[in-house]
């Protein structure tokens, strides 16, 4: 009884703080909307203002944004292939995540934004969709959402679960409540043994941890990849190419400086530049133009022109294909304390990689790639530039790294099968 009362008070306090901050959510949507117009749309979904008959879905998959949607893609595809009778709901938080869901599955799945973690919104959301089971990607530990699932008898799973040491420390403020949240999850499919141990320290039962491995190893090479690479080669010819992918604002000036340095050694060099967030597409084009370079854009020109020094990839869902077009890749979010981004995408298509030192979101993957000889890590932007320059001049080394990366991805596959086996008992039979 004491434990239940304690949880009641913890949830009440947490929810009270969220209600006080509710006006800030409106401000956030407006502020983000000036950068990404999608934030001005579908506000009712974010507050679960539903009308009409309930949908009664069988499986609810929650993936925050593009990266999580891509990680969930093998699971969703397996559910659609092996259990076509199941009704699927996929929620995201960002418009780019929403766009990715529509690009992958169109109207074959039901898709809405996830509600804010307010008790009323969560209650309306769960009552309207009545999911049979909840599959939450990676590390979305929203108290009212997960405890609300428990209270309604909806079994929840965390798939491809990761928890860095840094994130574990960050949960200390909410530790008494988060312990109860994690304990409410039926199974946690951990990316690694270390992630599983950290979830236990956070409050999960050891029996709830399943070492499924990382779903990102089950990445699918895009259809039409060879055709895209061939067309790119016809447009670009023998020019050397590097790609700066998933870069963040504080890395943009560094990318410009690195490209200027590399052009001094390789005058015909082309930079493919894919910012992490769509609202930065125009800004990086402006930065490159201000540096004195001719700039092309995928959405406007289609392909690089002969005089382009920079080609901005301002479309969604094409990054893996353009990784395959480059001789070497810099994967962003690693020169500032973001924690890095998906290193397995360039590895899967056979592109040598360089990153900065901030890789706390991909500790295990980066370690394995580095040990395999598929990844170089620079301590700062200057060292990243040095590594890129060396690799652009060393085709045999790039080939070795490409082969090592592909082999590591192939050997790492299997997380999908283990994940599907884990959730199978809660999938409604035909």
């Amino acid at each position: 009884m004491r434990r239940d009362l304690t949880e009641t008070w913890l949830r009440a306090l947490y929810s009270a703080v969220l209600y006080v901050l509710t006006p800030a959510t409106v401000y956030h949507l407006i502020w983000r909307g000036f950068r990404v117009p999608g934030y001005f749309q579908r506000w009712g979904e974010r507050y679960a203002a539903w009308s009409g008959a309930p949908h009664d879905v069988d499986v609810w998959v929650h993936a925050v944004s593009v990266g999580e949607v891509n990680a969930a893609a093998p699971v969703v595809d397996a559910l659609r292939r092996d259990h076509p009778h199941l009704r699927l709901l996929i929620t995201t938080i960002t418009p780019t995540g929403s766009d990715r869901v529509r690009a992958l599955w169109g109207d074959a799945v039901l898709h809405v934004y996830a509600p804010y973690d307010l008790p009323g919104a969560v209650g309306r959301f769960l009552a309207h969709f009545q999911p049979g089971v909840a599959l939450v990607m990676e590390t979305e530990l929203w108290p009212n959402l997960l405890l609300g699932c428990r209270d309604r008898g909806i079994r929840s799973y965390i798939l491809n679960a990761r928890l860095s040491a840094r994130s574990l420390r960050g949960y200390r403020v909410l530790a008494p409540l988060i312990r109860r949240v994690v304990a409410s999850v039926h199974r946690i499919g951990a990316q690694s043994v270390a992630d599983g141990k950290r979830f236990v320290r956070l409050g999960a039962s050891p029996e709830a941890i399943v070492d499924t491995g990382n779903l990102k190893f089950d990445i699918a090479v895009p259809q039409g990849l060879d055709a895209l690479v061939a067309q790119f080669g016809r447009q670009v010819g023998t020019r050397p190419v590097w790609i700066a992918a998933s870069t963040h604002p504080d890395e943009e000036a560094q990318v410009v400086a690195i490209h200027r340095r590399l052009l001094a050694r390789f005058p015909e060099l082309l930079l493919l530049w894919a910012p992490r967030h769509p609202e930065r597409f125009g800004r990086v084009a402006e930065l490159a133009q201000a540096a004195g370079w001719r700039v092309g854009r995928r959405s406007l020109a289609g392909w690089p022109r002969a005089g382009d020094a920079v080609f901005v990839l301002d479309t969604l869902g094409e990054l893996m294909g353009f990784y395959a077009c480059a001789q070497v890749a810099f994967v962003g979010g690693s020169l500032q304390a973001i924690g890095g981004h998906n290193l397995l995408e360039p590895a899967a298509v056979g592109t040598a990689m360089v990153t900065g030192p901030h890789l706390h979101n991909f500790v295990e993957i980066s370690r394995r790639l580095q040990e395999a000889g598929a990844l170089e890590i620079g301590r700062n932007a200057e060292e990243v530039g040095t590594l890129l320059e060396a690799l652009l001049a060393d085709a045999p080394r790039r080939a070795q790294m490409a082969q090592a990366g592909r082999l590591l991805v192939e050997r790492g596959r299997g997380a999908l099968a283990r994940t599907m086996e884990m959730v199978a008992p809660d999938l409604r039979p035909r």
Side-chain angles (χ1 to χ4, degrees):
M1 185 66 179
R2 181 184 299 276
R3 180 177 299 175
D4 294 341
L5 184 60
T6 300
E7 180 185 305
T8 299
W9 280 106
L10 288 170
R11 290 178 69 178
L13 179 60
Y14 166 79
S15 299
V17 172
L18 290 189
Y19 276 122
V20 169
L21 295 176
T22 297
T25 64
V26 177
Y27 171 80
H28 173 77
L29 291 172
I30 295 173
W31 178 71
R32 293 300 301 270
F34 286 117
R35 299 183 180 186
V36 183
Y39 279 100
F40 282 131
Q41 302 167 357
R42 298 160 54 191
W43 281 19
E45 295 176 18
R46 298 185 183 276
Y47 298 95
W50 300 109
S51 60
H55 279 275
D56 191 21
V57 300
D58 297 300
V59 180
W60 163 37
V61 179
H62 176 58
V64 178
S65 193
V66 175
E68 292 78 11
V69 172
N70 288 339
V75 174
V76 174
D77 289 340
L79 288 169
R80 295 186 61 220
R81 181 188 66 243
D82 300 334
H83 306 273
H85 62 290
L86 295 178
R87 295 180 295 273
L88 306 182
L89 167 68
I90 303 177
T91 59
T92 64
I93 289 178
T94 68
T96 52
S98 177
D99 291 342
R100 186 61 177 151
V101 170
R102 288 302 183 211
L104 287 172
W105 302 293
D107 295 328
V109 301
L110 183 63
H111 164 65
V112 298
Y113 286 131
Y116 287 119
D117 201 39
L118 301 164
V122 167
R124 291 190 297 273
F125 172 83
L126 294 176
H128 186 77
F129 291 101
Q130 302 178 27
V133 62
L135 309 180
V136 178
M137 299 303 301
E138 300 201 350
T139 322
E140 287 294 286
L141 303 178
W142 293 105
N144 284 323
L145 206 58
L146 288 172
L147 292 174
C149 285
R150 181 205 63 188
D151 294 344
R152 289 166 175 79
I154 302 167
R155 278 193 172 173
S156 62
Y157 292 77
I158 300 178
L159 307 187
N160 215 42
R162 62 180 174 89
L163 184 66
S164 67
R166 180 177 181 177
S167 296
L168 180 62
R169 291 192 296 270
Y171 280 117
R172 287 176 180 170
V173 176
L174 294 173
L177 180 58
I178 291 296
R179 279 199 301 269
R180 291 165 169 81
V181 173
V182 174
S184 75
V185 177
H186 180 60
R187 291 285 185 272
I188 297 174
Q191 291 188 12
S192 68
V193 172
D195 286 305
K197 289 180 178 178
R198 283 190 282 268
F199 270 100
V200 171
R201 290 175 59 189
L202 195 61
S205 165
E207 291 74 25
I209 304 298
V210 180
D211 184 14
T212 55
N214 196 325
L215 281 167
K216 291 179 179 178
F217 279 100
D218 287 273
I219 190 170
V221 174
Q223 293 183 351
L225 177 66
D226 291 342
L228 184 146
V229 172
Q231 179 64 29
F232 183 87
R234 287 191 289 270
Q235 296 293 134
V236 173
T238 59
R239 292 179 64 183
V241 180
W242 75 289
I243 183 170
S246 298
T247 57
H248 288 255
D250 289 350
E251 295 173 317
E252 291 167 0
Q254 296 166 318
V255 170
V256 169
I258 290 171
H259 191 47
R260 182 178 287 112
R261 169 185 171 177
L262 295 176
L263 281 170
R265 173 86 180 271
F266 309 99
E268 296 298 312
L269 183 66
L270 173 66
L271 164 62
L272 304 177
W273 196 346
R276 178 66 176 178
H277 299 112
E279 60 264 32
R280 304 299 297 178
F281 290 161
R283 177 57 180 158
V284 300
E286 293 171 358
L287 285 172
Q289 289 170 340
W293 300 319
R294 179 169 164 175
V295 179
R297 296 179 65 161
R298 173 68 167 162
S299 64
L300 300 177
W303 300 99
R305 299 160 295 180
D308 290 344
V310 177
F311 189 67
V312 178
L313 303 176
D314 57 352
T315 56
L316 297 177
E318 295 190 305
L319 182 56
M320 277 189 72
F322 280 100
Y323 270 133
C325 295
Q327 280 82 58
V328 61
F330 164 69
V331 183
S334 59
L335 281 175
Q336 63 182 97
I338 299 297
H341 291 296
N342 192 352
L343 300 170
L344 295 176
E345 290 185 346
V349 297
T351 303
M353 290 173 286
V354 176
T355 75
H358 300 286
L359 297 168
H360 53 263
N361 290 333
F362 293 87
V363 172
E364 180 68 15
I365 288 177
S366 62
R367 179 189 65 78
R368 292 174 64 180
L369 284 166
Q370 191 175 31
E371 289 178 353
L375 173 68
E376 299 278 7
I377 301 175
R379 291 172 293 183
N380 48 49
E382 183 177 358
E383 193 165 304
V384 165
T386 298
L387 292 169
L388 289 168
E389 183 176 354
L391 285 171
L392 284 167
D394 192 346
R397 172 62 180 144
R398 294 199 309 269
Q400 291 173 354
M401 294 178 71
Q403 183 178 7
R406 282 198 183 105
L407 183 60
L408 183 68
V409 171
E410 287 303 316
R411 289 177 174 173
R413 294 186 186 276
L416 176 60
R418 291 186 287 271
T419 297
M420 297 309 295
E421 181 181 1
M422 177 181 70
V423 303
D426 282 315
L427 300 180
R428 182 175 64 82
R430 295 179 187 273

